[in-house]
Amino acid sequence: MSCPTLFGLEGIVADELRFGGKLTEVHAENGRVLFEGDEATLAWANLNLRCAERVLIRLGAFRAKSFDDLFEGVRALPWEQFIPRDGAFPVKGHSLDSVLHSVPDCQRIIKKAVVSRLEQAYHQSWFEETGAKYQIQFSIMHDTAELYLDTSGAGLHKRGYRANSNAAPLRETLAAAMVKLARWRGREAMTDPFCGSGTIAIEAAMIAQRRAPGLLRSFDAEKWTCFDSAVWQQAREDALGLVDAQAQFDISGSDIDPACVQLSMENARKAGVANTIRFTQADAVSRSYEEPGVLFANPPYGERLLDLQAAEKLYEALGKTLAGSPMKQYILCSDPLFERCFGRKADKRRKLYNGMIKCELHMYFKHSPRRSANSR
């Protein structure tokens, strides 16, 4: 099996599989994590992985330097073990640095090869495709084709609690990764002064309450006839049994926009964690940060909500406000000049992607004495 990830999150997803899923055959690669398991593992992964984008069944890989190679390689795979007579099997994928560079042509050949295999297996020449969806994905890189079935459906970052969001939402999988990188487990107070739609605070609360991120949604493979529905039901019951819904933690978020505060409160209610998060209206640079704890922030990047000059003035003001604060600070930003504006070099940095935007997570966890604004 394979889990695609945002770049920079491969190691986190691998650890989730090793420690949460108790798996041993786990291998992290650029943009994905490969692992082995059965149907129960697949159900567990969809429900519980916080930082992966999807869970795919990897059917096979082979060299494909011609359309004949692609057709024969795809037709040799055991599609009938998964796709029933009435199954819908759309095809999508990508090709990079390969002779077979036309994605539409590759889609057509792959579809034709799967139909040929199913015709032979089911002794029929036409498929209505009126049943459940068995999404076929392909990747062709350096003339090697890999074929998958997508068991998740909608991406795993779509938890089900955020039907609406602010203008520049942070992907849920990345928000969860920020919390995991800080090793926050609920023992310290945490705050997000740019809460937006509340994603970081909500993901933190879900982690602290051991609430599986997939409990509010369904997955395509739950409808597949090749799998036992009882396995999925058991995985959900196991995940529900771990939730500590009454556990209270010191989690807060604020935003200068009252509409964002209301949106965050509504999303927290949908996620089932409203009992442990406080959202208020406040200006991030005017708040007090005198108490110990952990601060997570995804301030405007300039390329999305503010022009770059205004964003950099905000980083400078935030840096002055946070100077000397005892809080550990984890700030996600795409501006390469962030540290200069903020006034301090990070103790550690991590390259991450917020969707297609290349960012760095600036981590400040070593306490430094308060400095005046004139010292910069």
Side-chain angles (χ1 to χ4, degrees), residues 57-91:
I57 297 174
R58 188 168 181 256
L59 271 74
F62 51 87
R63 295 286 289 174
K65 299 190 71 172
S66 69
F67 286 127
D68 285 342
D69 292 342
L70 183 62
F71 181 88
E72 295 300 333
V74 171
R75 189 170 63 172
L77 299 175
W79 299 102
E80 70 279 3
Q81 292 182 14
F82 298 93
I83 303 173
R85 294 174 183 272
D86 66 343
F89 48 102
V91 179

PDB file of all heavy atoms in Angstrom, residues 57-91:
ATOM      1  N   ILE A  57      -4.014   1.290  -2.679  1.00  0.00           N
ATOM      2  CA  ILE A  57      -3.545  -0.089  -2.865  1.00  0.00           C
ATOM      3  C   ILE A  57      -2.641  -0.092  -4.090  1.00  0.00           C
ATOM      4  O   ILE A  57      -3.054   0.305  -5.189  1.00  0.00           O
ATOM      5  CB  ILE A  57      -4.721  -1.057  -3.069  1.00  0.00           C
ATOM      6  CG1 ILE A  57      -5.602  -1.089  -1.823  1.00  0.00           C
ATOM      7  CG2 ILE A  57      -4.205  -2.464  -3.386  1.00  0.00           C
ATOM      8  CD1 ILE A  57      -6.867  -1.916  -1.999  1.00  0.00           C
ATOM      9  N   ARG A  58      -1.426  -0.517  -3.908  1.00  0.00           N
ATOM     10  CA  ARG A  58      -0.454  -0.535  -5.004  1.00  0.00           C
ATOM     11  C   ARG A  58      -0.537  -1.900  -5.693  1.00  0.00           C
ATOM     12  O   ARG A  58      -0.148  -2.919  -5.142  1.00  0.00           O
ATOM     13  CB  ARG A  58       0.950  -0.299  -4.444  1.00  0.00           C
ATOM     14  CG  ARG A  58       2.052  -0.110  -5.465  1.00  0.00           C
ATOM     15  CD  ARG A  58       3.292   0.406  -4.739  1.00  0.00           C
ATOM     16  NE  ARG A  58       4.416   0.645  -5.638  1.00  0.00           N
ATOM     17  CZ  ARG A  58       5.464  -0.150  -5.748  1.00  0.00           C
ATOM     18  NH1 ARG A  58       5.547  -1.253  -5.007  1.00  0.00           N
ATOM     19  NH2 ARG A  58       6.458   0.138  -6.575  1.00  0.00           N
ATOM     20  N   LEU A  59      -1.078  -1.916  -6.923  1.00  0.00           N
ATOM     21  CA  LEU A  59      -1.300  -3.177  -7.623  1.00  0.00           C
ATOM     22  C   LEU A  59      -0.064  -3.685  -8.345  1.00  0.00           C
ATOM     23  O   LEU A  59       0.114  -4.894  -8.498  1.00  0.00           O
ATOM     24  CB  LEU A  59      -2.459  -3.043  -8.612  1.00  0.00           C
ATOM     25  CG  LEU A  59      -3.841  -3.359  -8.032  1.00  0.00           C
ATOM     26  CD1 LEU A  59      -4.296  -2.232  -7.123  1.00  0.00           C
ATOM     27  CD2 LEU A  59      -4.849  -3.593  -9.141  1.00  0.00           C
ATOM     28  N   GLY A  60       0.786  -2.786  -8.817  1.00  0.00           N
ATOM     29  CA  GLY A  60       1.969  -3.260  -9.519  1.00  0.00           C
ATOM     30  C   GLY A  60       2.766  -2.139 -10.143  1.00  0.00           C
ATOM     31  O   GLY A  60       2.301  -0.995 -10.234  1.00  0.00           O
ATOM     32  N   ALA A  61       3.979  -2.467 -10.559  1.00  0.00           N
ATOM     33  CA  ALA A  61       4.877  -1.519 -11.223  1.00  0.00           C
ATOM     34  C   ALA A  61       5.631  -2.251 -12.322  1.00  0.00           C
ATOM     35  O   ALA A  61       5.982  -3.429 -12.168  1.00  0.00           O
ATOM     36  CB  ALA A  61       5.843  -0.907 -10.217  1.00  0.00           C
ATOM     37  N   PHE A  62       5.882  -1.553 -13.426  1.00  0.00           N
ATOM     38  CA  PHE A  62       6.561  -2.184 -14.562  1.00  0.00           C
ATOM     39  C   PHE A  62       7.101  -1.092 -15.481  1.00  0.00           C
ATOM     40  O   PHE A  62       6.658   0.057 -15.456  1.00  0.00           O
ATOM     41  CB  PHE A  62       5.607  -3.108 -15.335  1.00  0.00           C
ATOM     42  CG  PHE A  62       4.306  -2.441 -15.709  1.00  0.00           C
ATOM     43  CD1 PHE A  62       4.198  -1.709 -16.889  1.00  0.00           C
ATOM     44  CD2 PHE A  62       3.205  -2.534 -14.872  1.00  0.00           C
ATOM     45  CE1 PHE A  62       2.995  -1.085 -17.223  1.00  0.00           C
ATOM     46  CE2 PHE A  62       2.007  -1.909 -15.192  1.00  0.00           C
ATOM     47  CZ  PHE A  62       1.902  -1.184 -16.375  1.00  0.00           C
ATOM     48  N   ARG A  63       8.058  -1.454 -16.304  1.00  0.00           N
ATOM     49  CA  ARG A  63       8.607  -0.527 -17.293  1.00  0.00           C
ATOM     50  C   ARG A  63       7.608  -0.340 -18.432  1.00  0.00           C
ATOM     51  O   ARG A  63       6.984  -1.302 -18.888  1.00  0.00           O
ATOM     52  CB  ARG A  63       9.929  -1.055 -17.852  1.00  0.00           C
ATOM     53  CG  ARG A  63      11.042  -1.154 -16.832  1.00  0.00           C
ATOM     54  CD  ARG A  63      11.600   0.212 -16.475  1.00  0.00           C
ATOM     55  NE  ARG A  63      12.364   0.806 -17.560  1.00  0.00           N
ATOM     56  CZ  ARG A  63      12.855   2.043 -17.528  1.00  0.00           C
ATOM     57  NH1 ARG A  63      12.621   2.828 -16.467  1.00  0.00           N
ATOM     58  NH2 ARG A  63      13.549   2.524 -18.544  1.00  0.00           N
ATOM     59  N   ALA A  64       7.466   0.903 -18.887  1.00  0.00           N
ATOM     60  CA  ALA A  64       6.516   1.192 -19.965  1.00  0.00           C
ATOM     61  C   ALA A  64       7.094   2.296 -20.842  1.00  0.00           C
ATOM     62  O   ALA A  64       6.937   3.484 -20.559  1.00  0.00           O
ATOM     63  CB  ALA A  64       5.170   1.602 -19.389  1.00  0.00           C
ATOM     64  N   LYS A  65       7.753   1.886 -21.932  1.00  0.00           N
ATOM     65  CA  LYS A  65       8.330   2.857 -22.856  1.00  0.00           C
ATOM     66  C   LYS A  65       7.526   2.952 -24.140  1.00  0.00           C
ATOM     67  O   LYS A  65       7.894   3.673 -25.067  1.00  0.00           O
ATOM     68  CB  LYS A  65       9.786   2.483 -23.164  1.00  0.00           C
ATOM     69  CG  LYS A  65      10.675   2.468 -21.929  1.00  0.00           C
ATOM     70  CD  LYS A  65      12.150   2.344 -22.267  1.00  0.00           C
ATOM     71  CE  LYS A  65      12.698   3.610 -22.885  1.00  0.00           C
ATOM     72  NZ  LYS A  65      14.179   3.568 -23.039  1.00  0.00           N
ATOM     73  N   SER A  66       6.421   2.194 -24.193  1.00  0.00           N
ATOM     74  CA  SER A  66       5.522   2.267 -25.334  1.00  0.00           C
ATOM     75  C   SER A  66       4.109   2.012 -24.831  1.00  0.00           C
ATOM     76  O   SER A  66       3.906   1.496 -23.731  1.00  0.00           O
ATOM     77  CB  SER A  66       5.894   1.220 -26.397  1.00  0.00           C
ATOM     78  OG  SER A  66       5.609  -0.095 -25.915  1.00  0.00           O
ATOM     79  N   PHE A  67       3.124   2.355 -25.656  1.00  0.00           N
ATOM     80  CA  PHE A  67       1.740   2.109 -25.262  1.00  0.00           C
ATOM     81  C   PHE A  67       1.445   0.618 -25.202  1.00  0.00           C
ATOM     82  O   PHE A  67       0.590   0.184 -24.412  1.00  0.00           O
ATOM     83  CB  PHE A  67       0.779   2.825 -26.210  1.00  0.00           C
ATOM     84  CG  PHE A  67       0.739   4.307 -25.999  1.00  0.00           C
ATOM     85  CD1 PHE A  67       0.952   5.178 -27.060  1.00  0.00           C
ATOM     86  CD2 PHE A  67       0.500   4.839 -24.744  1.00  0.00           C
ATOM     87  CE1 PHE A  67       0.921   6.547 -26.873  1.00  0.00           C
ATOM     88  CE2 PHE A  67       0.471   6.212 -24.543  1.00  0.00           C
ATOM     89  CZ  PHE A  67       0.674   7.072 -25.611  1.00  0.00           C
ATOM     90  N   ASP A  68       2.135  -0.179 -26.025  1.00  0.00           N
ATOM     91  CA  ASP A  68       1.983  -1.634 -25.928  1.00  0.00           C
ATOM     92  C   ASP A  68       2.473  -2.132 -24.570  1.00  0.00           C
ATOM     93  O   ASP A  68       1.828  -2.989 -23.937  1.00  0.00           O
ATOM     94  CB  ASP A  68       2.753  -2.333 -27.049  1.00  0.00           C
ATOM     95  CG  ASP A  68       2.056  -2.228 -28.399  1.00  0.00           C
ATOM     96  OD1 ASP A  68       0.841  -1.934 -28.405  1.00  0.00           O
ATOM     97  OD2 ASP A  68       2.728  -2.434 -29.432  1.00  0.00           O
ATOM     98  N   ASP A  69       3.627  -1.605 -24.116  1.00  0.00           N
ATOM     99  CA  ASP A  69       4.124  -1.971 -22.782  1.00  0.00           C
ATOM    100  C   ASP A  69       3.108  -1.621 -21.709  1.00  0.00           C
ATOM    101  O   ASP A  69       2.850  -2.410 -20.789  1.00  0.00           O
ATOM    102  CB  ASP A  69       5.437  -1.231 -22.473  1.00  0.00           C
ATOM    103  CG  ASP A  69       6.599  -1.674 -23.334  1.00  0.00           C
ATOM    104  OD1 ASP A  69       6.515  -2.761 -23.937  1.00  0.00           O
ATOM    105  OD2 ASP A  69       7.590  -0.926 -23.410  1.00  0.00           O
ATOM    106  N   LEU A  70       2.535  -0.418 -21.825  1.00  0.00           N
ATOM    107  CA  LEU A  70       1.579   0.038 -20.825  1.00  0.00           C
ATOM    108  C   LEU A  70       0.331  -0.838 -20.832  1.00  0.00           C
ATOM    109  O   LEU A  70      -0.144  -1.275 -19.769  1.00  0.00           O
ATOM    110  CB  LEU A  70       1.200   1.494 -21.095  1.00  0.00           C
ATOM    111  CG  LEU A  70       0.250   2.153 -20.091  1.00  0.00           C
ATOM    112  CD1 LEU A  70       0.872   2.204 -18.693  1.00  0.00           C
ATOM    113  CD2 LEU A  70      -0.121   3.569 -20.556  1.00  0.00           C
ATOM    114  N   PHE A  71      -0.180  -1.130 -22.017  1.00  0.00           N
ATOM    115  CA  PHE A  71      -1.388  -1.945 -22.129  1.00  0.00           C
ATOM    116  C   PHE A  71      -1.164  -3.340 -21.534  1.00  0.00           C
ATOM    117  O   PHE A  71      -1.962  -3.810 -20.713  1.00  0.00           O
ATOM    118  CB  PHE A  71      -1.795  -2.066 -23.597  1.00  0.00           C
ATOM    119  CG  PHE A  71      -3.046  -2.867 -23.819  1.00  0.00           C
ATOM    120  CD1 PHE A  71      -4.291  -2.264 -23.785  1.00  0.00           C
ATOM    121  CD2 PHE A  71      -2.976  -4.240 -24.057  1.00  0.00           C
ATOM    122  CE1 PHE A  71      -5.448  -3.003 -23.974  1.00  0.00           C
ATOM    123  CE2 PHE A  71      -4.125  -4.996 -24.245  1.00  0.00           C
ATOM    124  CZ  PHE A  71      -5.366  -4.366 -24.205  1.00  0.00           C
ATOM    125  N   GLU A  72      -0.084  -3.989 -21.926  1.00  0.00           N
ATOM    126  CA  GLU A  72       0.158  -5.352 -21.453  1.00  0.00           C
ATOM    127  C   GLU A  72       0.453  -5.379 -19.955  1.00  0.00           C
ATOM    128  O   GLU A  72       0.027  -6.297 -19.241  1.00  0.00           O
ATOM    129  CB  GLU A  72       1.315  -5.984 -22.229  1.00  0.00           C
ATOM    130  CG  GLU A  72       1.034  -6.194 -23.708  1.00  0.00           C
ATOM    131  CD  GLU A  72      -0.160  -7.111 -23.954  1.00  0.00           C
ATOM    132  OE1 GLU A  72      -0.468  -7.970 -23.089  1.00  0.00           O
ATOM    133  OE2 GLU A  72      -0.807  -6.959 -25.011  1.00  0.00           O
ATOM    134  N   GLY A  73       1.176  -4.373 -19.450  1.00  0.00           N
ATOM    135  CA  GLY A  73       1.465  -4.325 -18.021  1.00  0.00           C
ATOM    136  C   GLY A  73       0.217  -4.135 -17.187  1.00  0.00           C
ATOM    137  O   GLY A  73       0.049  -4.786 -16.142  1.00  0.00           O
ATOM    138  N   VAL A  74      -0.676  -3.282 -17.650  1.00  0.00           N
ATOM    139  CA  VAL A  74      -1.932  -3.041 -16.919  1.00  0.00           C
ATOM    140  C   VAL A  74      -2.839  -4.271 -17.005  1.00  0.00           C
ATOM    141  O   VAL A  74      -3.442  -4.684 -16.014  1.00  0.00           O
ATOM    142  CB  VAL A  74      -2.652  -1.795 -17.478  1.00  0.00           C
ATOM    143  CG1 VAL A  74      -4.050  -1.666 -16.880  1.00  0.00           C
ATOM    144  CG2 VAL A  74      -1.831  -0.546 -17.192  1.00  0.00           C
ATOM    145  N   ARG A  75      -2.936  -4.860 -18.182  1.00  0.00           N
ATOM    146  CA  ARG A  75      -3.815  -6.026 -18.360  1.00  0.00           C
ATOM    147  C   ARG A  75      -3.353  -7.215 -17.530  1.00  0.00           C
ATOM    148  O   ARG A  75      -4.166  -8.072 -17.146  1.00  0.00           O
ATOM    149  CB  ARG A  75      -3.885  -6.409 -19.834  1.00  0.00           C
ATOM    150  CG  ARG A  75      -4.943  -7.481 -20.101  1.00  0.00           C
ATOM    151  CD  ARG A  75      -5.195  -7.696 -21.570  1.00  0.00           C
ATOM    152  NE  ARG A  75      -4.011  -8.195 -22.280  1.00  0.00           N
ATOM    153  CZ  ARG A  75      -4.020  -8.601 -23.548  1.00  0.00           C
ATOM    154  NH1 ARG A  75      -5.146  -8.533 -24.254  1.00  0.00           N
ATOM    155  NH2 ARG A  75      -2.912  -9.038 -24.130  1.00  0.00           N
ATOM    156  N   ALA A  76      -2.074  -7.278 -17.182  1.00  0.00           N
ATOM    157  CA  ALA A  76      -1.557  -8.403 -16.392  1.00  0.00           C
ATOM    158  C   ALA A  76      -1.919  -8.301 -14.903  1.00  0.00           C
ATOM    159  O   ALA A  76      -1.735  -9.263 -14.159  1.00  0.00           O
ATOM    160  CB  ALA A  76      -0.041  -8.476 -16.542  1.00  0.00           C
ATOM    161  N   LEU A  77      -2.439  -7.156 -14.475  1.00  0.00           N
ATOM    162  CA  LEU A  77      -2.752  -6.960 -13.058  1.00  0.00           C
ATOM    163  C   LEU A  77      -4.131  -7.538 -12.717  1.00  0.00           C
ATOM    164  O   LEU A  77      -5.037  -7.544 -13.558  1.00  0.00           O
ATOM    165  CB  LEU A  77      -2.699  -5.473 -12.709  1.00  0.00           C
ATOM    166  CG  LEU A  77      -1.328  -4.809 -12.931  1.00  0.00           C
ATOM    167  CD1 LEU A  77      -1.399  -3.309 -12.663  1.00  0.00           C
ATOM    168  CD2 LEU A  77      -0.272  -5.454 -12.044  1.00  0.00           C
ATOM    169  N   PRO A  78      -4.356  -7.998 -11.478  1.00  0.00           N
ATOM    170  CA  PRO A  78      -5.592  -8.713 -11.104  1.00  0.00           C
ATOM    171  C   PRO A  78      -6.759  -7.790 -10.766  1.00  0.00           C
ATOM    172  O   PRO A  78      -7.275  -7.782  -9.641  1.00  0.00           O
ATOM    173  CB  PRO A  78      -5.143  -9.517  -9.880  1.00  0.00           C
ATOM    174  CG  PRO A  78      -4.112  -8.648  -9.228  1.00  0.00           C
ATOM    175  CD  PRO A  78      -3.373  -7.999 -10.358  1.00  0.00           C
ATOM    176  N   TRP A  79      -7.220  -7.029 -11.722  1.00  0.00           N
ATOM    177  CA  TRP A  79      -8.291  -6.055 -11.470  1.00  0.00           C
ATOM    178  C   TRP A  79      -9.582  -6.718 -10.998  1.00  0.00           C
ATOM    179  O   TRP A  79     -10.333  -6.133 -10.202  1.00  0.00           O
ATOM    180  CB  TRP A  79      -8.545  -5.244 -12.739  1.00  0.00           C
ATOM    181  CG  TRP A  79      -7.350  -4.477 -13.182  1.00  0.00           C
ATOM    182  CD1 TRP A  79      -6.488  -4.800 -14.194  1.00  0.00           C
ATOM    183  CD2 TRP A  79      -6.849  -3.264 -12.615  1.00  0.00           C
ATOM    184  NE1 TRP A  79      -5.483  -3.867 -14.297  1.00  0.00           N
ATOM    185  CE2 TRP A  79      -5.679  -2.908 -13.342  1.00  0.00           C
ATOM    186  CE3 TRP A  79      -7.272  -2.444 -11.582  1.00  0.00           C
ATOM    187  CZ2 TRP A  79      -4.935  -1.760 -13.054  1.00  0.00           C
ATOM    188  CZ3 TRP A  79      -6.540  -1.293 -11.291  1.00  0.00           C
ATOM    189  CH2 TRP A  79      -5.388  -0.974 -12.013  1.00  0.00           C
ATOM    190  N   GLU A  80      -9.858  -7.924 -11.482  1.00  0.00           N
ATOM    191  CA  GLU A  80     -11.118  -8.598 -11.112  1.00  0.00           C
ATOM    192  C   GLU A  80     -11.168  -8.972  -9.633  1.00  0.00           C
ATOM    193  O   GLU A  80     -12.257  -9.233  -9.103  1.00  0.00           O
ATOM    194  CB  GLU A  80     -11.317  -9.845 -11.977  1.00  0.00           C
ATOM    195  CG  GLU A  80     -10.360 -11.004 -11.692  1.00  0.00           C
ATOM    196  CD  GLU A  80      -9.003 -10.853 -12.358  1.00  0.00           C
ATOM    197  OE1 GLU A  80      -8.761  -9.800 -13.015  1.00  0.00           O
ATOM    198  OE2 GLU A  80      -8.199 -11.796 -12.239  1.00  0.00           O
ATOM    199  N   GLN A  81     -10.032  -8.984  -8.952  1.00  0.00           N
ATOM    200  CA  GLN A  81     -10.040  -9.254  -7.512  1.00  0.00           C
ATOM    201  C   GLN A  81     -10.651  -8.103  -6.717  1.00  0.00           C
ATOM    202  O   GLN A  81     -11.042  -8.278  -5.566  1.00  0.00           O
ATOM    203  CB  GLN A  81      -8.623  -9.524  -7.017  1.00  0.00           C
ATOM    204  CG  GLN A  81      -8.016 -10.818  -7.536  1.00  0.00           C
ATOM    205  CD  GLN A  81      -6.628 -11.073  -6.978  1.00  0.00           C
ATOM    206  OE1 GLN A  81      -6.213 -10.434  -6.007  1.00  0.00           O
ATOM    207  NE2 GLN A  81      -5.904 -12.004  -7.591  1.00  0.00           N
ATOM    208  N   PHE A  82     -10.737  -6.949  -7.359  1.00  0.00           N
ATOM    209  CA  PHE A  82     -11.257  -5.765  -6.671  1.00  0.00           C
ATOM    210  C   PHE A  82     -12.519  -5.218  -7.322  1.00  0.00           C
ATOM    211  O   PHE A  82     -13.505  -4.919  -6.649  1.00  0.00           O
ATOM    212  CB  PHE A  82     -10.189  -4.658  -6.649  1.00  0.00           C
ATOM    213  CG  PHE A  82      -8.933  -5.040  -5.913  1.00  0.00           C
ATOM    214  CD1 PHE A  82      -7.861  -5.593  -6.601  1.00  0.00           C
ATOM    215  CD2 PHE A  82      -8.828  -4.861  -4.548  1.00  0.00           C
ATOM    216  CE1 PHE A  82      -6.700  -5.953  -5.931  1.00  0.00           C
ATOM    217  CE2 PHE A  82      -7.676  -5.218  -3.866  1.00  0.00           C
ATOM    218  CZ  PHE A  82      -6.607  -5.768  -4.559  1.00  0.00           C
ATOM    219  N   ILE A  83     -12.513  -5.081  -8.652  1.00  0.00           N
ATOM    220  CA  ILE A  83     -13.608  -4.407  -9.347  1.00  0.00           C
ATOM    221  C   ILE A  83     -14.684  -5.415  -9.745  1.00  0.00           C
ATOM    222  O   ILE A  83     -14.397  -6.358 -10.499  1.00  0.00           O
ATOM    223  CB  ILE A  83     -13.079  -3.680 -10.597  1.00  0.00           C
ATOM    224  CG1 ILE A  83     -11.970  -2.691 -10.212  1.00  0.00           C
ATOM    225  CG2 ILE A  83     -14.215  -2.952 -11.305  1.00  0.00           C
ATOM    226  CD1 ILE A  83     -11.276  -2.055 -11.404  1.00  0.00           C
ATOM    227  N   PRO A  84     -15.919  -5.240  -9.283  1.00  0.00           N
ATOM    228  CA  PRO A  84     -17.001  -6.161  -9.662  1.00  0.00           C
ATOM    229  C   PRO A  84     -17.578  -5.816 -11.030  1.00  0.00           C
ATOM    230  O   PRO A  84     -17.157  -4.849 -11.669  1.00  0.00           O
ATOM    231  CB  PRO A  84     -18.032  -5.926  -8.555  1.00  0.00           C
ATOM    232  CG  PRO A  84     -17.851  -4.487  -8.184  1.00  0.00           C
ATOM    233  CD  PRO A  84     -16.368  -4.219  -8.323  1.00  0.00           C
ATOM    234  N   ARG A  85     -18.562  -6.585 -11.449  1.00  0.00           N
ATOM    235  CA  ARG A  85     -19.154  -6.398 -12.780  1.00  0.00           C
ATOM    236  C   ARG A  85     -19.728  -4.998 -12.974  1.00  0.00           C
ATOM    237  O   ARG A  85     -19.690  -4.450 -14.080  1.00  0.00           O
ATOM    238  CB  ARG A  85     -20.265  -7.429 -13.013  1.00  0.00           C
ATOM    239  CG  ARG A  85     -19.773  -8.872 -13.086  1.00  0.00           C
ATOM    240  CD  ARG A  85     -20.956  -9.826 -13.164  1.00  0.00           C
ATOM    241  NE  ARG A  85     -20.528 -11.223 -13.176  1.00  0.00           N
ATOM    242  CZ  ARG A  85     -20.207 -11.921 -14.255  1.00  0.00           C
ATOM    243  NH1 ARG A  85     -20.279 -11.334 -15.451  1.00  0.00           N
ATOM    244  NH2 ARG A  85     -19.825 -13.179 -14.164  1.00  0.00           N
ATOM    245  N   ASP A  86     -20.315  -4.431 -11.919  1.00  0.00           N
ATOM    246  CA  ASP A  86     -20.965  -3.129 -12.059  1.00  0.00           C
ATOM    247  C   ASP A  86     -20.117  -1.975 -11.526  1.00  0.00           C
ATOM    248  O   ASP A  86     -20.567  -0.839 -11.456  1.00  0.00           O
ATOM    249  CB  ASP A  86     -22.321  -3.120 -11.352  1.00  0.00           C
ATOM    250  CG  ASP A  86     -22.176  -3.256  -9.834  1.00  0.00           C
ATOM    251  OD1 ASP A  86     -21.092  -3.674  -9.372  1.00  0.00           O
ATOM    252  OD2 ASP A  86     -23.144  -2.935  -9.112  1.00  0.00           O
ATOM    253  N   GLY A  87     -18.875  -2.260 -11.141  1.00  0.00           N
ATOM    254  CA  GLY A  87     -18.027  -1.221 -10.550  1.00  0.00           C
ATOM    255  C   GLY A  87     -17.682  -0.120 -11.539  1.00  0.00           C
ATOM    256  O   GLY A  87     -17.503  -0.356 -12.738  1.00  0.00           O
ATOM    257  N   ALA A  88     -17.609   1.099 -11.037  1.00  0.00           N
ATOM    258  CA  ALA A  88     -17.150   2.234 -11.849  1.00  0.00           C
ATOM    259  C   ALA A  88     -15.649   2.381 -11.640  1.00  0.00           C
ATOM    260  O   ALA A  88     -15.177   2.396 -10.501  1.00  0.00           O
ATOM    261  CB  ALA A  88     -17.873   3.509 -11.435  1.00  0.00           C
ATOM    262  N   PHE A  89     -14.887   2.487 -12.714  1.00  0.00           N
ATOM    263  CA  PHE A  89     -13.430   2.537 -12.575  1.00  0.00           C
ATOM    264  C   PHE A  89     -12.823   3.631 -13.443  1.00  0.00           C
ATOM    265  O   PHE A  89     -12.176   3.391 -14.448  1.00  0.00           O
ATOM    266  CB  PHE A  89     -12.781   1.172 -12.860  1.00  0.00           C
ATOM    267  CG  PHE A  89     -13.244   0.487 -14.115  1.00  0.00           C
ATOM    268  CD1 PHE A  89     -12.464   0.490 -15.263  1.00  0.00           C
ATOM    269  CD2 PHE A  89     -14.454  -0.204 -14.152  1.00  0.00           C
ATOM    270  CE1 PHE A  89     -12.871  -0.157 -16.421  1.00  0.00           C
ATOM    271  CE2 PHE A  89     -14.868  -0.858 -15.303  1.00  0.00           C
ATOM    272  CZ  PHE A  89     -14.081  -0.826 -16.441  1.00  0.00           C
ATOM    273  N   PRO A  90     -13.031   4.890 -13.053  1.00  0.00           N
ATOM    274  CA  PRO A  90     -12.382   6.004 -13.755  1.00  0.00           C
ATOM    275  C   PRO A  90     -10.870   5.945 -13.570  1.00  0.00           C
ATOM    276  O   PRO A  90     -10.365   5.325 -12.625  1.00  0.00           O
ATOM    277  CB  PRO A  90     -12.985   7.246 -13.098  1.00  0.00           C
ATOM    278  CG  PRO A  90     -13.382   6.788 -11.728  1.00  0.00           C
ATOM    279  CD  PRO A  90     -13.812   5.356 -11.892  1.00  0.00           C
ATOM    280  N   VAL A  91     -10.151   6.610 -14.455  1.00  0.00           N
ATOM    281  CA  VAL A  91      -8.685   6.572 -14.439  1.00  0.00           C
ATOM    282  C   VAL A  91      -8.143   7.999 -14.390  1.00  0.00           C
ATOM    283  O   VAL A  91      -8.588   8.864 -15.157  1.00  0.00           O
ATOM    284  CB  VAL A  91      -8.133   5.860 -15.691  1.00  0.00           C
ATOM    285  CG1 VAL A  91      -6.606   5.859 -15.674  1.00  0.00           C
ATOM    286  CG2 VAL A  91      -8.679   4.439 -15.792  1.00  0.00           C
TER     287      VAL A  91
END
